[in-house]
Amino acid sequence: QRLDNLYLIDSWYAFHEVIRKVRVLRKKDLKSTESQQRLDKLCTKFEKLWKRETGFKLTSIRPTNSAKITANKLPKNVFVTSNERKEKKKQLKKAKKNFRKKKHAKTKSEELLEAKGKILKDWMKKESVWQLALYQELLHTKAIEQYLSDPKNKMLKHITESMFDEIVRKVRVERFSQLKDTKARLQCDKILLKFEKLWRKQSGIKKTSIKKK
């Protein structure tokens, strides 16, 4: 019989009014933050009981320091049947699935760049000039992006001296910030020197860029 009285609260507006009046009546007695939090927990517990008995959904109660909810923003008589619950779950599941697909989906340009990146990576390993920092710089240099499918015959030829200097500078800055050991730094320079020789052979540029210390 007592639970039947919950059905007298027949809308979110009515429920919100009950909670509002309780807060107003208890405001004078609640001096501390802890007591306000206890009231919030009590109201939340009452809300769960009311929703379970009446079938209402969504959340009406907000913390006391949040913005006030006006009556015109609360839907009235939002009773939910079991079929509607099932349908809502299906829609939510579908929305989550679509979100995951969209999050991990790749554009055509990204797929193309990834394919070209594999060719570049394989070539760098074959020529013993593989270095992740160098690979990333070459992969994301817009001026040579269209030539990545043929690193040896096209990409190297289209790298100008200024482009080469900038790529090497960025690689050295990134790698040297990570490599504190002198031996490791020398190994990094060794790879860059080997890459430089390959580049000069294809581009025809003879001036020395990297100098050993």
Side-chain angles (χ1 to χ4, degrees), residues 4-205:
D4 289 342
N5 292 333
L6 292 173
Y7 287 91
L8 295 175
I9 307 173
D10 61 353
S11 69
W12 273 110
Y13 175 69
F15 178 81
H16 175 67
E17 276 298 298
V18 171
I19 299 299
R20 186 188 65 79
K21 288 178 180 178
V22 169
R23 291 193 189 283
V24 170
L25 291 172
R26 294 286 292 149
K27 187 176 181 181
K28 293 180 180 179
D29 302 327
L30 303 177
K31 302 297 183 182
S32 66
T33 305
E34 290 79 7
S35 58
Q36 290 178 0
Q37 290 175 345
R38 284 195 295 271
L39 178 62
D40 283 340
K41 288 180 180 179
L42 186 63
C43 290
T44 302
K45 190 174 182 180
F46 175 68
E47 179 187 15
K48 289 178 180 178
L49 177 64
W50 174 70
K51 287 197 294 185
R52 186 175 71 244
E53 290 298 318
T54 60
F56 276 77
K57 59 180 180 177
L58 304 177
T59 301
S60 172
I61 301 175
R62 298 289 186 273
T64 53
N65 60 350
S66 64
K68 292 183 179 179
I69 304 174
T70 56
N72 59 353
K73 291 183 180 179
L74 298 172
K76 293 187 178 182
N77 301 319
V78 193
F79 286 101
V80 183
T81 65
S82 58
N83 289 333
E84 287 175 329
R85 282 197 186 93
K86 289 179 182 179
E87 185 61 30
K88 189 68 177 177
K89 284 182 179 179
K90 285 182 181 179
Q91 292 176 2
L92 182 61
K93 190 176 180 180
K94 187 178 180 181
K96 286 183 177 179
K97 188 176 180 181
N98 291 336
F99 175 78
R100 285 194 294 269
K101 282 184 178 180
K102 186 177 180 181
K103 184 178 180 181
H104 298 290
K106 294 179 180 177
T107 63
K108 289 184 178 180
S109 59
E110 286 174 335
E111 289 177 351
L112 183 61
L113 186 61
E114 189 176 276
K116 290 179 179 178
K118 187 179 184 306
I119 296 172
L120 174 62
K121 184 176 182 179
D122 292 342
W123 174 79
M124 290 177 73
K125 287 185 175 181
K126 182 182 176 182
E127 298 293 340
S128 301
V129 290
W130 168 253
Q131 191 177 78
L132 183 59
L134 178 59
Y135 166 78
Q136 290 176 336
E137 284 300 324
L138 292 171
L139 190 66
H140 295 96
T141 301
K142 293 292 183 181
I144 59 172
E145 187 178 305
Q146 58 183 315
Y147 307 114
L148 293 176
S149 57
D150 190 355
K152 182 179 178 181
N153 299 314
K154 292 184 179 180
M155 183 194 74
L156 292 177
K157 287 182 178 179
H158 287 85
I159 297 177
T160 63
E161 188 170 6
S162 60
M163 285 168 57
F164 178 82
D165 289 343
E166 183 64 14
I167 289 170
V168 169
R169 185 189 66 78
K170 288 181 178 179
V171 172
R172 294 189 78 194
V173 167
E174 182 179 338
R175 293 297 292 148
F176 280 29
S177 65
Q178 299 168 353
L179 303 174
K180 305 302 179 185
D181 182 52
T182 305
K183 188 176 180 180
R185 291 187 174 190
L186 288 172
Q187 181 61 27
C188 174
D189 273 343
K190 185 178 179 181
I191 292 174
L192 292 176
L193 281 166
K194 191 166 186 178
F195 175 70
E196 180 181 12
K197 288 177 182 178
L198 292 170
W199 166 67
R200 292 192 184 284
K201 185 178 179 180
Q202 293 297 322
S203 65
I205 300 172

